[in-house]
Amino acid sequence: MGRQLHSLSSVATSLGLLLAIFLLFHCAQSENKLYPTANQNLSPIEAWRSAEYCLQNISSSCPVNYTLTHSGWLNVTHTDGPTFCEDGGCAEHTRAVLLCLYHVKIDYYFANFATIKDLSDTINNGCTSPQGTL
Ligand SMILES: *[C@@H]1O[C@H](CO)[C@@H](O)[C@H](O)[C@H]1NC(C)=O
Ligand SMILES: *[C@@H]1O[C@H](CO)[C@@H](O)[C@H](O)[C@H]1NC(C)=O
Ligand SMILES: *[C@@H]1O[C@H](CO)[C@@H](O)[C@H](O)[C@H]1NC(C)=O
């Protein structure tokens, strides 16, 4: 009897484990990593994770030193401004990444507590000033 109970509970444990694996797998499957904006009705954790996927959108128009990261710091110097702002340049790509962030987590903030709007404003102001500098 004791033995039967024991094996029953281990079957239950394995079933629970299988279910957990299935759910994990299922969630991972239904989450779109390439197009995070396709993810709908996100829980807070999923929203943060989708935001990370947005930040993984890198472009050849953004040299590593300008690429927007979780830090929220755009390391663009005065002399680099014009290159950064030009059509098809890194500013354009960065705006696309910010838009992606906005869609998946409207209240996203960076490690330096800058918001999506702060970054957009920085880019817009920097790129519309006469010298086109940030
Ligand atoms: C960033 O990288 C670009 C391209 O590699 C380069 O032209 C620019 O001087 C770099 N800026 C800084 C601040 O290192
Ligand atoms: C900005 O870029 C310059 C040149 O690439 C580098 O020396 C500096 O450490 C960078 N600053 C930050 C905060 O990433
Ligand atoms: C990635 O960035 C490009 C612009 O460089 C943009 O056209 C594209 O929509 C972005 N992808 C996602 C998933 O946001």
Side-chain angles (χ1 to χ4, degrees):
M1 183 62 185
R3 202 192 189 111
Q4 268 175 350
L5 268 182
H6 178 76
S7 59
L8 261 184
S9 76
S10 74
V11 166
T13 310
S14 333
L15 277 180
L17 204 63
L18 274 178
L19 191 66
I21 291 170
F22 172 78
L23 285 176
L24 270 177
F25 185 68
H26 184 72
C27 289
Q29 285 288 299
S30 61
E31 196 175 44
N32 195 323
K33 299 183 185 179
L34 281 182
Y35 297 97
T37 49
N39 296 325
Q40 301 284 328
N41 302 320
L42 299 176
S43 71
I45 287 174
E46 289 167 332
W48 278 109
R49 201 161 47 201
S50 291
E52 289 304 318
Y53 299 143
C54 290
L55 290 171
Q56 281 164 23
N57 185 357
I58 53 168
S59 158
S60 56
S61 59
C62 283
V64 183
N65 59 1
Y66 302 164
T67 297
L68 181 63
T69 65
H70 179 65
S71 78
W73 175 254
L74 282 174
N75 195 4
V76 180
T77 60
H78 194 81
T79 45
D80 292 343
T83 320
F84 180 83
C85 295
E86 75 192 7
D87 280 350
C90 189
E92 204 171 298
H93 174 73
T94 306
R95 284 196 188 101
V97 173
L98 288 172
L99 192 65
C100 179
L101 289 175
Y102 183 82
H103 283 305
V104 299
K105 185 158 176 52
I106 194 165
D107 57 352
Y108 183 84
Y109 56 87
F110 293 89
N112 61 2
F113 298 110
T115 61
I116 297 172
K117 185 171 187 305
D118 291 337
L119 269 282
S120 300
D121 288 351
T122 306
I123 294 172
N124 292 341
N125 294 339
C127 289
T128 51
S129 71
Q131 310 91 330
T133 54
L134 270 176

